[in-house]
Amino acid sequence: NERDLRLRKKYGIHVSGNNVPSPLQGFAELSTRYGCESYLLHNLVKLGFKEPTPIQRQAIPVLLSGRECFAKAPTGSGKTLAFVYPMLMKLKQPSKDGIRAVILCHTRELAAQTTRECKKMAKGNKFRIKLMTKELMRNTDFTKLPCDILVSTPRRLQLCICKKKKKKIDLSRVEYLVLDESDKLFERSLLEQTDSVVKACSNPSIIRSLFSATLPDFVEDVARTVMHDAVRVIVGDKNA
Ligand code: ADP
Ligand code: MG
């Protein structure tokens, strides 16, 4: 439709895939179109965010529509919020259904920073958002860990998948899996760990998304083998 095309052109958004949902005109549409709870809009105001960035305009509706997504947008363009907001909206309320969402980050520093941002965005709701620390790995009976969102590096999460029977982490109920800086996660040094986490998240109705500043062909090829009916969203120069 005309309006979608105009908005995408204006913000340098390129999409491919079937029936790609309309981009957001503004954050207000999160509540008018998607019934977003008021605490989330309030948090945007508190953070001082007035307009969605281009990647947020397109990736948020894609994920809210229950579609899997590959997204490429420059560093500093607000990718974290683009995957955290839809996740918070979809999870709705805290629950004790095991680990419901996983965010994979290629370094511990990025995982820690993403956890902090996630908590800021979730303020006012009682979601349990956990960072996989050494402490947590050592002392936790994962079968009893109340956790809505788990943020980890692939290495640490893989170690918990491989633990002895009882203490092993169960990822079979994960509903949302985000691979942040996915090009790094699929590099040779992390590929095997990333792959075991992706496999352990065995819920057939899982929604996976990849966010990155570059999207090399080999990453897209690997990802296409596991994702279904994914939408590709690219912001900026298509060929960069
Ligand atoms: P990326 O992951 O794309 O590199 P980040 O998610 O780390 O980018 O965001 C970069 C900065 O932009 C952060 O400081 C974040 O708080 C800020 N930011 C995110 N979304 C918005 C927005 N809609 N308006 C203004 N600033 C934003
Ligand atoms: Mg980022």
Side-chain angles (χ1 to χ4, degrees):
N1 107 16
E2 282 292 316
R3 172 192 164 275
D4 292 0
L5 294 178
R6 218 175 35 242
L7 271 176
R8 289 191 187 117
K9 187 159 181 218
K10 179 169 171 192
Y11 295 108
I13 302 166
H14 309 274
V15 294
S16 56
N18 303 314
N19 295 316
V20 181
S22 303
L24 296 174
Q25 245 162 354
F27 281 131
E29 268 175 86
L30 289 177
S31 75
T32 56
R33 230 162 96 189
Y34 295 102
C36 167
E37 288 181 70
S38 56
Y39 85 93
L40 279 171
L41 292 178
H42 183 71
N43 289 347
L44 286 176
V45 174
K46 274 199 301 193
L47 289 163
F49 299 171
K50 297 191 174 70
E51 291 287 325
T53 64
I55 189 63
Q56 292 164 4
R57 285 179 196 274
Q58 187 60 73
I60 292 174
V62 167
L63 290 169
L64 287 176
S65 308
R67 300 284 295 280
E68 299 200 308
C69 172
F70 304 91
K72 176 178 111 151
T75 302
S77 67
K79 292 190 285 294
T80 316
L81 190 148
F83 58 74
V84 170
Y85 259 69
M87 187 182 274
L88 296 171
M89 285 173 69
K90 287 283 196 176
L91 293 175
K92 292 201 172 79
Q93 291 302 321
S95 100
K96 292 186 177 147
D97 287 342
I99 296 161
R100 304 165 69 205
V102 168
I103 301 172
L104 274 191
C105 300
H106 73 294
T107 64
R108 295 191 294 241
E109 295 69 32
L110 182 61
Q113 186 195 328
T114 305
T115 308
R116 287 193 298 273
E117 297 206 10
C118 220
K119 286 182 175 171
K120 269 191 225 160
M121 297 179 200
K123 209 158 186 167
N125 203 320
K126 294 204 161 54
F127 284 121
R128 282 157 299 219
I129 299 166
K130 307 267 185 207
L131 173 65
M132 184 67 88
T133 56
K134 253 198 183 141
E135 263 284 278
L136 194 72
M137 290 173 74
R138 208 177 301 125
N139 302 322
T140 307
D141 175 355
F142 287 107
T143 58
K144 297 199 176 75
L145 177 74
C147 179
D148 296 289
I149 301 176
L150 178 64
V151 187
S152 179
T153 59
R155 173 97 190 115
R156 287 190 166 176
L157 198 46
Q158 189 204 28
L159 287 170
C160 299
I161 295 170
C162 298
K163 278 193 179 186
K164 299 271 160 48
K165 283 174 262 171
K166 273 236 158 146
K167 293 210 158 159
K168 203 166 137 151
I169 200 164
D170 178 10
L171 299 179
S172 68
R173 290 198 279 181
V174 172
E175 299 160 68
Y176 301 96
L177 172 64
V178 175
L179 307 186
D180 192 18
E181 304 277 358
S182 45
D183 52 345
K184 307 265 176 26
L185 293 171
F186 285 113
E187 271 174 12
R188 199 180 293 266
S189 57
L190 291 177
L191 178 63
E192 193 204 311
Q193 285 102 315
T194 300
D195 197 50
S196 6
V197 174
V198 172
K199 288 210 173 84
C201 294
S202 58
N203 180 348
S205 50
I206 192 166
I207 305 206
R208 282 163 293 217
S209 55
L210 273 69
F211 283 80
S212 195
T214 65
L215 190 58
D217 288 341
F218 80 93
V219 171
E220 220 178 312
D221 292 344
V222 178
R224 286 219 184 269
T225 62
V226 293
M227 290 165 100
H228 24 80
D229 202 20
V231 176
R232 183 163 70 144
V233 181
I234 291 178
V235 169
D237 184 359
K238 256 198 290 198
N239 303 309

